[in-house]
Amino acid sequence: MNIQKIKLRDLGKVDYQFGISIQKKIHDEFVNEAKILFLEHDKTITIGTKGGKEDILFSEEEIKKRGFKIIKSDRGGQVTIHNKGQLVCYLIVPIQKFKIKPVDFVRKIEELIINFLKKYKISAAAIKGKTGVWIKEKNTERKIAAIGVRISNGVSMHGFALNIDNNLNDFNLIVPCGLEGSLVTSMANEISIDLDKSLIKLKLIEEIENIFDCEVIND
């Protein structure tokens, strides 16, 4: 049996609209070939299909003063932050070809992030009724990765954003995921070791290959 292949393109740090335009172009021109984009975004607040501006805690003028853009997105989920030090992974995958039901796609993304974090001795979990991946400790729950996807014509778009060593204070501008009092964390906040982003990407690729039973190759 031929193993499915997913092509990977690393865009580096790019403007949010530019990254989305690349993703949309790939999706619109889709020729039965799965692709992954790794990237970091400039300062951006995005509002998903279930979100609203009421979850942004400052005026648009103040947000702009702090260097952020506010953009309405067609991904699932509510309001989140993108900034330097956060790794974003867009998954453009024909889910039927990979034998994945739409309802299970997010669960697989959660699983791959949880398994990846185990490699760094970070114990994380999915929480029923809350999107993303969380660190649960005593009476606190801290979100370390946001997930927001869209399935269009059987092909996925968007994906997840993993906090590596980004500025967590930026999240004070919003109500993350529409959850009052929600805490946000990062890998750097949880463990005190040097975080090599090249190695992080390699370890994420390993988990993508495991979860989607595929081979990731450079585009």
Side-chain angles (χ1 to χ4, degrees):
M1 185 175 71
N2 290 333
I3 192 165
Q4 299 286 356
K5 289 181 170 54
I6 301 182
K7 289 187 175 180
L8 168 69
R9 192 184 305 178
D10 193 333
L11 298 181
K13 187 169 178 286
V14 297
D15 176 77
Y16 182 83
Q17 295 284 40
F18 177 78
I20 288 295
S21 70
I22 296 292
Q23 176 185 218
K24 191 172 187 309
K25 188 172 187 291
I26 292 169
H27 188 276
D28 289 351
E29 296 175 357
F30 184 75
V31 285
N32 210 31
E33 196 174 67
K35 292 200 176 181
I36 295 170
L37 299 177
F38 278 161
L39 58 161
E40 283 185 56
H41 285 313
D42 294 321
K43 287 183 169 186
T44 311
I45 296 174
T46 62
I47 306 172
T49 55
K50 294 182 179 178
K53 286 191 174 180
E54 64 274 10
D55 288 329
I56 299 173
L57 301 177
F58 293 82
S59 68
E60 196 161 338
E61 182 182 2
E62 181 62 27
I63 293 295
K64 286 178 180 176
K65 274 186 189 176
R66 298 185 186 214
F68 279 86
K69 296 177 183 175
I70 300 174
I71 295 175
K72 185 77 176 171
S73 172
D74 62 358
R75 64 165 172 79
Q78 294 173 293
V79 174
T80 197
I81 291 274
H82 295 301
N83 57 2
K84 182 182 176 183
Q86 179 193 74
L87 178 62
V88 177
C89 177
Y90 289 147
L91 297 155
I92 304 130
V93 176
I95 60 172
Q96 190 171 13
K97 186 176 178 181
F98 281 74
K99 298 180 173 57
I100 305 169
K101 295 177 182 178
V103 71
D104 295 327
F105 188 60
V106 170
R107 302 289 85 79
K108 283 190 172 290
I109 295 173
E110 289 170 346
E111 187 179 354
L112 83 84
I113 296 168
I114 291 165
N115 290 347
F116 158 77
L117 290 169
K118 282 179 186 174
K119 296 175 186 286
Y120 287 88
K121 295 183 170 53
I122 297 174
S123 179
I127 298 175
K128 190 173 181 179
K130 296 183 178 182
T131 59
V133 173
W134 301 75
I135 310 295
K136 296 172 70 176
E137 188 176 72
K138 296 181 181 176
N139 296 321
T140 66
E141 297 169 348
R142 304 183 296 279
K143 190 171 193 175
I144 195 167
I147 299 172
V149 300
R150 179 179 177 226
I151 310 293
S152 177
N153 298 322
V155 182
S156 66
M157 292 181 70
H158 304 287
F160 65 88
L162 173 68
N163 295 333
I164 298 175
D165 56 4
N166 48 328
N167 183 355
L168 300 179
N169 290 329
D170 287 342
F171 286 86
N172 294 329
L173 299 173
I174 65 169
V175 179
C177 310
L179 299 169
E180 290 282 353
S182 181
L183 300 176
V184 180
T185 190
S186 66
M187 293 179 68
N189 195 51
E190 297 296 324
I191 52 175
S192 53
I193 64 168
D194 289 335
L195 293 168
D196 181 331
K197 289 181 184 175
S198 295
L199 184 58
I200 283 172
K201 290 173 184 177
L202 288 175
K203 289 181 181 295
L204 271 172
I205 288 167
E206 287 175 3
E207 288 309 320
I208 289 168
E209 290 179 329
N210 289 338
I211 293 297
F212 292 107
D213 193 20
C214 68
E215 179 185 2
V216 175
I217 57 176
N218 287 325
D219 190 1

